Amino acid sequence: MTDLVRWGVVSTGRIAHQFARDFQFIDDGEIVAATSRTKANAQAFADAYDVQRVHDSVADLVDDPQVDAVYIATPHTRHLEDARAALAVGKAVLCEKPLVINPEECRELIAAANASSGYLMEAMWTWFLPAIRQAKAWVDAGRIGRVVQIKADFGYPQRPYAPDRREYDASLGGGCLLEMGIYPVALLQLFLGRQAAAMQVVSKHAPNGVEDDFSAVLDYGDVVGTIGSSYRCKLQNWACVIGEDGYVAIPDFWRATECTLFELDTPVKRFVDDRRSSGLDFETRAVMEDLRAGRSESPIVPLAASLAFQETMASLRARFTPS
């Protein structure tokens, strides 16, 4: 792997633009190619970010010898196919969350990664944010005592409803669980590292049957997790990791810029990062560090974690109660 990591972008929607804007904070990588659903979309993206080449298809992009790593931002249901195509030719893959749409696809993609000479990581960018890492360090150091509860939710209204809108389109993996609910699911995994022993779920559903609101209580035996997600309303979007001696509060945890350590009611430490980016550059930089170190997966978001996300979401989905 050369010092400069050359990236190709697959799909040029909103999150790909955020990825590209944050690339200005990376000095040892370059976006050199793009492809999208239409040539016009890809060209507009290339013009906006000074990308050298536009490809007609995913196959053409992953075969480009000038591309070292591929960022996949297609709809959820295309992730398996697109990531597998890149891995098959030995590329590194950073695939937007959710990595896939169910545990079976996740196992299939992990097997493809293991059989390849490539690299695969789910773009769980939250795990790389300095405020999240600081919160985890406080908890791991015992600053709040034994963890007793974790609370996290993430929701924004998605209106108007339309069955062919990406957020609601069942054929594209629509529903708030995969789109937004994965963030609180991943937060539980980050702090607990295991599956719940039991869970209770209340769900609400859009006219086409996909979930547009859910709340769940997950029982880990010694810890209770309370999570939720919604397309119906703006939730608080905070996370709180609560121990016997205090708690850590993380405002807007999915894109966290700060966290505060409390001893009972008293704030004793506050961390605020000074980043100028939206935060996607942290995960991108970590992927490049992994590639230079010769790793095939991330030590921070390993593939086992991605499978755990999928298994938890499958358990939640199995308990949804369509109205």
Side-chain angles (χ1 to χ4, degrees), residues 237-254:
N237 298 341
W238 282 42
C240 288
V241 184
I242 305 163
E244 292 178 322
D245 303 324
Y247 66 96
V248 178
I250 315 171
D252 280 335
F253 78 95
W254 62 283

Side-chain angles (χ1 to χ4, degrees), residues 117-196:
S117 60
Y119 169 101
L120 176 63
M121 189 186 91
E122 181 172 9
M124 184 46 67
W125 64 296
T126 298
W127 284 24
F128 295 89
L129 298 178
I132 295 295
R133 300 188 72 151
Q134 179 61 72
K136 183 74 161 54
W138 283 335
V139 173
D140 290 348
R143 296 297 301 272
I144 63 172
R146 184 180 67 85
V147 175
V148 177
Q149 292 193 33
I150 298 178
K151 301 176 184 288
D153 58 33
F154 183 36
Y156 278 98
Q158 301 296 313
R159 293 190 290 265
Y161 162 78
D164 58 351
R165 180 175 169 175
R166 185 188 61 80
E167 290 85 357
Y168 291 96
D169 191 335
S171 68
L172 298 178
C176 66
L177 175 60
L178 288 174
E179 183 69 16
M180 295 182 179
I182 189 172
Y183 283 101
V185 164
L187 189 91
L188 291 178
Q189 184 65 31
L190 177 64
F191 282 94
L192 299 178
R194 63 188 193 273
Q195 295 293 314

